[in-house]
Amino acid sequence: MTIKFKNRSFFTFLTLFFSFSTLSLSVSDHFDGDYSPNNNNNNNNIMPSKSGGQWVLLQSSIGISAMHMQVLNNDKVIIFDRTDMGPSNLSLPLDKCGKEGDVRQLDCTAHSVLYDIASNTFRPLLLQTDTWCSSGAVLSDGTLVQTGGYNVGDRVIRLFTPCNDEGCDWVELSKNLWDRRWYASNQILPDNRIIVVGGRRVFTYEFYPKIDSLSSSLYLRFLIETRDPGEENNLYPFLHLLPDGNLFIFANRRSILFDYINNKLVKEFPVIPGNDKRNYPSTGSSILLPLKLSAGSDGNGTAVLPDAEVMVCGGAPAGAFIKSDKESVYVEASRTCGRLKVTDKNPVWSMEFMPMPRVMSDMLLLPSGDVIIINGASNGTAGWEDAVGPNLNPVLYSPDEEEPDRRFVVLNPSKIPRMYHSSAVVLPDGRILVGGSNPHQRYNFTAYPYPTDLSLEAFHPHYLDPENAYMRPSILSLESRDRTVSYNEVFAVTFELSSYSPSGEISVSLMTPSFTTHSFAMNQRLVVLNVVSVSQLSVYAYKVVVNGPPTATVAPPGYYMMFVVHAGIPSHAVWVKVTWN
């Protein structure tokens, strides 16, 4: 079945209808310089413009500070704060009131909103228990499973299932987690379970849904070994599901490969060089760099798994939290990033320097394959009033740039400091949604120099510049049933393009929407599919044929944003569901 997408011009329909005879092209020689069906469309000289990006204020206030964010597959974003800091600036409907923290005072203000990307509007949602510093992941059916928090909410499991009307809201389950999960991390697994790891003074992990054969959580010695007395520096551990099905866990300065099925440590990786701590409250960030798929299998018919490389950036030196929290002395944050190719036989950290020191910054994968580092501060750590020097300038990092000195590019600054308790997510149109910042125990709008911020803004990376519009693909149809992609399925995507660059590669990527809080975009993943062929259908219409992901360990079942990328310029995404055949 071919799925077509709305809002395409009548002209596009005509160009498809009166199409040329199809010209098929191999992956290795996409439209070489000898082929020029239309001089206006095939231009050897065009190159994408690279500016410093643009900031746009979307909402001066959504009534709450955006501590946590999750993009949903119906083009909505669920945003929530904590509930124990007093009333917010957004009222609940008259028939809905919650309770505030353990004090159990009546609270008729919202601490969560559902943001509509297309209309730039939002509506209040009701949280019954405290979600302060919690975690989450999305199941394959699109339901957000949000776990833990504070006080009476620290063991609670909450669900939010997307809907197309005004009827959906938070649902709290009667069955709780085994352990309190405050500052824990979540990762969706290939079998559609979620693993929940760590938390403050909790050195265990567990699963949602619970496993019937287990009567408790499971102890993980690594978590207590990485805890610094007086500072911790191992909260919100970085989790990345690797293509072989094992879990990469990073905390403080150490990292391991963990077999969560058999509760077994597979190996420990080298300690990241330097004295900088990387996890809360010396908060750095981490991503799994894009997984680039190739064709073929080994001699036994087993799919070839992609290489996997983890990147960790920012943080703070040992002792920085004690100085900022107890002495109001704000030590310069870490300037370093480390890359570790975890699939190598003997992996070694490769260290690089950012243009400026950064703590509490968010790292996000862009559909172009680049990385953006955004938000945070230059001095201090996470915590109440524990940082100064906002990092207003995002940084673009190009992991495939051969010259290390050219990988980092400083982008245009925001006017709004995004300090402690800020967040950011990638939207289907390629923008970065940014919100939050509340380094105070309660909402404080007169604090100087960093008042509580309730606004939402969007950062437009260079690929959204108007100058690049003619190079931007626009997806027309997906030749797959009900927008689903099965493992190892060969499928085609039809798209239109005003001007094709022979030097610009065509790629198709699948991106998971992240659950972002405290500088860690949980479950973030960019899978670059193997391109079988590209063909031209008409003057402006093209078709790319790709292989679906090989295994659920490479791309766990669920909803992904699918982008077509041309010369580094991504299309607007369409949602697809990766599923078993």
Side-chain angles (χ1 to χ4, degrees), residues 336-530:
T336 61
C337 292
R339 289 173 59 168
L340 185 71
K341 187 171 285 188
V342 292
T343 47
D344 281 356
K345 185 176 180 180
N346 297 299
V348 177
W349 287 98
S350 174
M351 304 302 293
E352 300 178 66
F353 285 89
M354 294 182 287
M356 70 283 287
R358 303 191 80 109
V359 64
M360 298 185 294
S361 289
D362 292 283
M363 291 177 68
L364 297 171
L365 292 165
L366 297 179
S368 60
D370 294 326
V371 178
I372 192 167
I373 308 173
I374 198 166
N375 298 339
S378 61
N379 292 71
T381 64
W384 308 129
E385 328 290 343
D386 284 341
V388 297
N391 267 314
L392 301 176
N393 293 84
V395 170
L396 185 72
Y397 178 81
S398 300
D400 295 331
E401 170 60 51
E402 292 184 0
E403 297 184 30
D405 292 343
R406 299 179 59 184
R407 289 178 186 159
F408 290 101
V409 176
V410 179
L411 305 177
N412 289 334
S414 171
K415 296 179 180 179
I416 303 173
R418 300 291 181 182
M419 307 291 278
Y420 187 40
H421 287 156
S422 59
S423 60
V425 291
V426 178
L427 299 179
D429 58 18
R431 293 178 299 162
I432 314 301
L433 184 68
V434 179
S437 187
N438 183 26
H440 318 292
Q441 293 194 35
R442 301 179 79 85
Y443 283 4
N444 187 339
F445 303 108
T446 60
Y448 180 83
Y450 312 120
T452 301
D453 194 279
L454 310 184
S455 68
L456 276 185
E457 57 185 336
F459 180 72
H460 296 227
H462 72 277
Y463 52 66
L464 293 176
D465 290 349
E467 294 85 353
N468 291 325
Y470 70 105
M471 297 187 66
R472 185 170 302 120
S474 182
I475 297 175
L476 298 172
S477 64
L478 170 66
E479 295 180 8
S480 185
R481 187 180 62 186
D482 300 327
R483 294 199 196 185
T484 62
V485 174
S486 300
Y487 294 106
N488 293 307
E489 176 186 4
V490 178
F491 67 97
V493 182
T494 305
F495 62 96
E496 64 179 351
L497 186 61
S498 297
S499 192
Y500 181 84
S501 172
S503 61
E505 181 183 3
I506 295 288
S507 62
V508 179
S509 297
L510 301 178
M511 175 184 284
T512 52
S514 65
F515 180 96
T516 300
T517 189
H518 290 76
S519 304
F520 181 38
M522 302 177 197
N523 307 291
Q524 185 179 208
R525 205 172 195 82
L526 184 68
V527 181
V528 183
L529 301 180
N530 176 62

Side-chain angles (χ1 to χ4, degrees), residues 154-352:
D154 62 7
R155 288 179 171 83
V156 173
I157 302 169
R158 306 168 190 86
L159 305 181
F160 188 91
T161 302
C163 65
N164 294 320
D165 55 27
E166 302 292 299
C168 45
D169 209 329
W170 287 101
V171 174
E172 295 198 355
L173 302 186
S174 57
K175 183 177 290 188
N176 286 342
L177 297 163
W178 288 119
D179 296 333
R180 69 193 299 259
R181 300 295 174 184
W182 191 31
Y183 301 95
S185 296
N186 292 14
Q187 172 66 55
I188 188 69
L189 299 175
D191 59 3
N192 202 36
R193 289 184 298 157
I194 296 167
I195 189 170
V196 187
V197 179
R200 174 156 283 168
R201 293 183 293 277
V202 175
F203 312 108
T204 63
Y205 66 95
E206 59 183 289
F207 299 94
Y208 173 86
K210 289 183 176 179
I211 300 175
D212 293 337
S213 60
L214 295 178
S215 58
S216 68
S217 61
L218 297 165
Y219 179 65
L220 183 57
R221 179 181 295 275
F222 173 76
L223 294 175
I224 196 168
E225 290 176 347
T226 52
R227 182 178 186 271
D228 289 340
E231 286 197 313
E232 296 176 299
N233 290 328
N234 69 339
L235 301 180
Y236 278 121
F238 304 142
L239 309 180
H240 300 296
L241 176 69
L242 299 186
D244 66 359
N246 289 313
L247 194 65
F248 175 88
I249 307 177
F250 183 105
N252 200 317
R253 294 177 56 230
R254 293 171 54 188
S255 53
I256 59 172
L257 185 64
F258 186 64
D259 178 354
Y260 57 85
I261 296 175
N262 298 302
N263 189 29
K264 179 182 177 183
L265 175 67
V266 178
K267 68 185 298 183
E268 179 155 1
F269 295 103
V271 175
I272 191 170
N275 189 40
D276 296 330
K277 309 293 184 167
R278 307 291 180 166
N279 294 83
Y280 185 93
S282 298
T283 303
S285 190
S286 177
I287 56 166
L288 178 66
L289 289 172
L291 298 175
K292 299 179 180 181
L293 305 186
S294 59
S297 60
D298 63 16
N300 300 317
T302 303
V304 176
L305 298 178
D307 290 337
E309 188 171 11
V310 169
M311 187 173 183
V312 177
C313 289
F321 174 70
I322 292 175
K323 286 185 175 295
S324 63
D325 195 61
K326 308 300 182 186
E327 304 172 22
S328 297
V329 174
Y330 307 105
V331 177
E332 183 179 274
S334 173
R335 291 178 175 267
T336 61
C337 292
R339 289 173 59 168
L340 185 71
K341 187 171 285 188
V342 292
T343 47
D344 281 356
K345 185 176 180 180
N346 297 299
V348 177
W349 287 98
S350 174
M351 304 302 293
E352 300 178 66

